[in-house]
Amino acid sequence: MEGVVEMKGKLLVIGFGPGSFDQITKRAKEAIEESDIIIGYSTYVELIQGLLTDQEIVSTGMTEEVTRAREAVRQAEQGKKVAVISSGDAGVYGMAGLVYEVLVEKGWTQATGVEVEIVPGISAINSCAALLGAPVMHDACTISLSDHLTPWELIERRIEAAGHADFVVALYNPKSGRRTRQIVEAQRILLKYRSPDTPVGLVKSAYRDRQQVVLTTLENMLEHDIGMLTTVIIGNSSTFVYDGLMITPRGYQRKYTLTSDDQPLKLHQRLRKENEPWALEQETPKGTKTSLEWATEALSMVSQDSTPAVKPAIITKAATQPESIFEFAVSTGVANKKFTPQQMIALAEVAGEKGSIEYTPHHQMILRIPTSEPEAVTARLRSEGFLLSAIGDVVQLKACDFCDGEKTDSIPYADEIQESLGGLQVPKELKIGFNGCGMACYGAVKEDIGIVYRKGKFDLFLGAKTVGRNAHAGIPVAEGIEPEEIVPLVEDIVAFFKEKAYPNERFHKFFKRIGEIKGFKYQEVPAIQIEPMACGD
Ligand code: SAH
């Protein structure tokens, strides 16, 4: 058959990962082993030395990439199996594109030309991320700061866009001996959009002998060593550092809160089902379909009737699943307990069809609204005179109605407490009850901190246990506090709790454990003996 079968070569464009043999894929190893010739930058050829047997080596300097690609194509066309190697993935600032460019220039097609196999590898964004924790997680981009082949204005625009759109950014080629300005400029641009505290990971020589991993911030990143072999990973606005790890949460659900520093989403809340609206087993409000039902319906339509496969309505529905749920409490004010019809309409309108309104025992409505525009929601409600409060582990003021506005003397103090402490983040939710007369009919003495205005002065109660069979009122710790002293005193108590309480420790437990708060002593509350009940009683 000689002369009939043309001996066709093959181009294997191989990413060998970050550097260590453990991080090379099985296929990449095999591909290197089965090649006749290895073509690559000399440092890379050295890195894979241990895998080589009797292959011919063509190694050249860094800048001779085009020469390398041409040589590879030439050798393959002569019937050789040629491996072109790149670090990381060959398709990420590597040789893959270049090899195709050379082929295209020569009129190559898949059917007629030499066979090409691109062998994927672990790119620096992935290897470096793994060493840092889980910084990528969400939408991310890679930007190479090398302006060798790309105009700097374009690179600048990309950094700008990535900053603006809150992408996690992996900067490749951040700096070299001669190129030192670009990383400074990149930092300057990103600081326009991101907090100086944004976590930044610097990983040098990942999975190689001189590996270095540094965790820093956007503000301080330039104080560390950054070079040719560094990848810089810049977090998004949700990225956080925990125990030396850089972590970007999976989503932004309930990211919107009333003030930026209160009520961050806690892990157990984030991991709830309702925070994964896209999950198939997700429960949905009565009368609406679950994702699984939508998917099943779509599938049955596809299999029964292939034209048109899926009706557009289904696609639209699935695509508009909410990503962020804005959760907060509304009330009609510190002292006012009456809703106007307009306010009720406003509540219904902002909640819309998908939001929910929950009435709580704390004279509040909790709103949960899927939205991408929390500011529009808050602006609307505030314009209707609503008081908006954060919920979760924050300070909340529960005031009475001051006898329908008749006993107004103490209202300014309640307002001041709301202003100063409302929404403040604390280790565990903390309710301050504030009642405008000795009747205390709104139950101030049943809150964590109870304040009762009586005969021009204030009485103070601390540490009520509000729930359970052994619920009890707060301990009366002081009477006749001068009005000008009450706000600073409560502020001090809250500050002490905030500083000293364990995470999740309720105020009454804290009081019992610590024994004394700002000079007020804890006293044991007489426990009523409750006979254990026989089953069924
Ligand atoms: N194809 C490669 C990227 C080549 S561009 C890949 O997919 O990873 C060269 C840049 O990649 C370097 O400047 C550095 O930013 C990054 N890089 C490559 N290998 C790395 C490693 N082992 N550790 C850290 N960064 C690396």
Side-chain angles (χ1 to χ4, degrees):
M1 300 280 273
E2 232 172 277
V4 180
V5 177
E6 193 188 330
M7 237 272 278
K8 263 196 190 173
K10 181 171 179 184
L11 276 167
L12 292 142
V13 189
I14 305 165
F16 61 82
S20 118
F21 284 2
D22 289 345
Q23 309 294 339
I24 300 180
T25 67
K26 183 161 168 283
R27 177 64 197 133
K29 267 188 194 156
E30 284 169 5
I32 289 170
E33 282 158 10
E34 75 192 39
S35 304
D36 305 313
I37 306 179
I38 310 283
I39 298 187
Y41 169 48
S42 33
T43 312
Y44 296 165
V45 174
E46 273 162 40
L47 276 169
I48 60 152
Q49 200 73 47
L51 292 178
L52 303 180
T53 45
D54 56 355
Q55 293 93 337
E56 187 187 328
I57 310 291
V58 179
S59 65
T60 54
M62 190 68 149
T63 50
E64 294 149 52
E65 291 182 324
V66 180
T67 315
R68 260 182 269 155
R70 286 196 200 287
E71 178 61 11
V73 171
R74 197 180 65 81
Q75 296 270 10
E77 281 174 348
Q78 288 180 4
K80 301 257 176 58
K81 264 195 163 181
V82 186
V84 180
I85 55 166
S86 284
S87 72
D89 182 86
V92 181
Y93 316 117
M95 290 295 290
L98 205 50
V99 166
Y100 274 125
E101 281 183 64
V102 170
L103 288 170
V104 169
E105 196 181 58
K106 302 184 100 186
W108 169 92
T109 66
Q110 297 204 58
T112 58
V114 292
E115 189 186 345
V116 179
E117 181 183 343
I118 310 285
V119 181
I122 302 175
S123 186
I125 186 174
N126 303 115
S127 55
C128 297
L131 292 170
L132 287 164
V136 175
M137 259 345 260
H138 212 274
D139 297 342
C141 65
T142 64
I143 300 178
S144 167
L145 293 192
S146 168
D147 56 359
H148 181 52
L149 297 169
T150 311
W152 175 248
E153 296 68 42
L154 181 59
I155 300 173
E156 245 180 348
R157 276 218 305 281
R158 290 189 177 161
I159 303 169
E160 194 90 38
H164 184 64
D166 206 30
F167 277 92
V168 171
V169 184
L171 297 175
Y172 283 60
N173 300 304
K175 196 173 167 185
S176 71
R178 268 173 296 160
R179 267 192 321 103
T180 55
R181 239 350 270 157
Q182 286 82 352
I183 187 71
V184 181
E185 282 299 302
Q187 180 205 36
R188 183 188 62 77
I189 297 170
L190 290 171
L191 275 170
K192 291 202 287 185
Y193 302 98
R194 262 168 238 189
S195 151
D197 302 331
T198 304
V200 169
L202 307 174
V203 182
K204 190 170 190 175
S205 300
Y207 298 95
R208 297 189 195 173
D209 286 347
R210 298 201 186 137
Q211 173 178 301
Q212 265 179 37
V213 180
V214 173
L215 205 55
T216 173
T217 59
L218 190 53
E219 188 178 27
N220 298 322
M221 60 185 251
L222 299 181
E223 291 164 19
H224 302 272
D225 177 27
I226 297 178
M228 283 259 281
L229 269 172
T230 309
T231 297
V232 178
I233 301 190
I234 297 155
N236 70 17
S237 61
S238 303
T239 305
F240 62 94
V241 171
Y242 177 84
D243 197 18
L245 299 168
M246 183 171 166
I247 302 167
T248 300
R250 266 271 297 281
Y252 287 86
Q253 292 88 2
R254 291 210 267 154
K255 171 178 167 273
Y256 303 127
T257 53
L258 287 168
T259 61
S260 56
D261 63 343
D262 59 31
Q263 205 203 359
L265 205 58
K266 285 187 287 178
L267 282 180
H268 72 276
Q269 294 171 317
R270 257 189 48 71
L271 301 181
R272 278 182 198 158
K273 266 189 180 180
E274 59 266 33
N275 286 328
E276 295 222 317
W278 51 83
L280 284 185
E281 76 276 20
Q282 187 57 263
E283 286 163 24
T284 48
K286 272 213 168 65
T288 61
K289 288 193 181 111
T290 64
S291 303
L292 186 58
E293 284 163 343
W294 281 115
T296 314
E297 188 178 319
L299 202 61
S300 75
M301 292 174 85
V302 175
S303 47
Q304 279 164 19
D305 169 17
S306 52
T307 49
V310 180
K311 289 201 175 112
I314 291 175
I315 296 168
T316 321
K317 179 83 183 183
T320 52
Q321 291 287 15
E323 188 175 295
S324 300
I325 298 167
F326 183 28
E327 182 181 60
F328 58 100
V330 291
S331 67
T332 46
V334 169
N336 180 30
K337 304 293 168 217
K338 291 185 175 148
F339 287 79
T340 64
Q342 287 93 312
Q343 285 179 321
M344 297 307 279
I345 291 167
L347 278 184
E349 281 176 3
V350 297
E353 273 181 25
K354 295 200 186 123
S356 70
I357 306 176
E358 177 188 344
Y359 180 65
T360 76
H362 304 295
H363 323 303
Q364 287 179 326
M365 305 279 203
I366 291 181
L367 261 60
R368 294 186 182 88
I369 307 174
T371 180
S372 55
E373 292 182 343
E375 295 83 8
V377 173
T378 53
R380 170 81 208 277
L381 292 174
R382 287 198 170 111
S383 76
E384 297 290 347
F386 279 113
L387 174 67
L388 311 188
S389 333
I391 59 172
D393 288 332
V394 293
V395 177
Q396 278 191 14
L397 179 67
K398 292 175 64 180
C400 67
D401 67 352
F402 300 87
C403 295
D404 212 4
E406 275 185 23
K407 299 196 172 159
T408 57
D409 296 358
S410 62
I411 293 179
Y413 301 98
D415 283 338
E416 211 180 310
I417 288 174
Q418 169 65 27
E419 184 74 15
S420 151
L421 297 171
L424 178 79
Q425 207 181 353
V426 279
K428 183 72 187 171
E429 62 174 17
L430 182 78
K431 302 255 185 323
I432 303 177
F434 190 113
N435 287 181
C437 79
M439 284 296 289
C441 63
Y442 267 74
V445 303
K446 292 185 282 184
E447 304 300 342
D448 296 307
I449 299 176
I451 302 167
V452 177
Y453 185 71
R454 191 170 53 87
K455 297 186 182 155
K457 299 197 177 168
F458 288 99
D459 298 342
L460 184 66
F461 300 78
L462 293 181
K465 182 172 185 302
T466 55
V467 293
R469 297 176 80 198
N470 56 353
H472 57 76
I475 302 163
V477 293
E479 282 192 339
I481 299 169
E482 292 299 331
E484 63 276 14
E485 287 168 16
I486 191 69
V487 179
L489 177 61
V490 174
E491 284 171 346
D492 280 355
I493 293 170
V494 172
F496 184 67
F497 174 65
K498 183 175 165 77
E499 189 195 343
K500 295 273 179 351
Y502 299 143
N504 244 0
E505 187 176 30
R506 287 204 179 272
F507 187 79
H508 71 90
K509 284 198 175 156
F510 168 73
F511 192 16
K512 185 170 180 177
R513 174 173 68 83
I514 214 118
E516 186 176 323
I517 297 176
K518 297 283 134 194
F520 302 127
K521 291 236 160 35
Y522 176 79
Q523 296 152 36
E524 203 58 57
V525 178
I528 303 159
Q529 285 304 317
I530 301 169
E531 287 285 312
M533 279 192 292
C535 265
D537 275 7

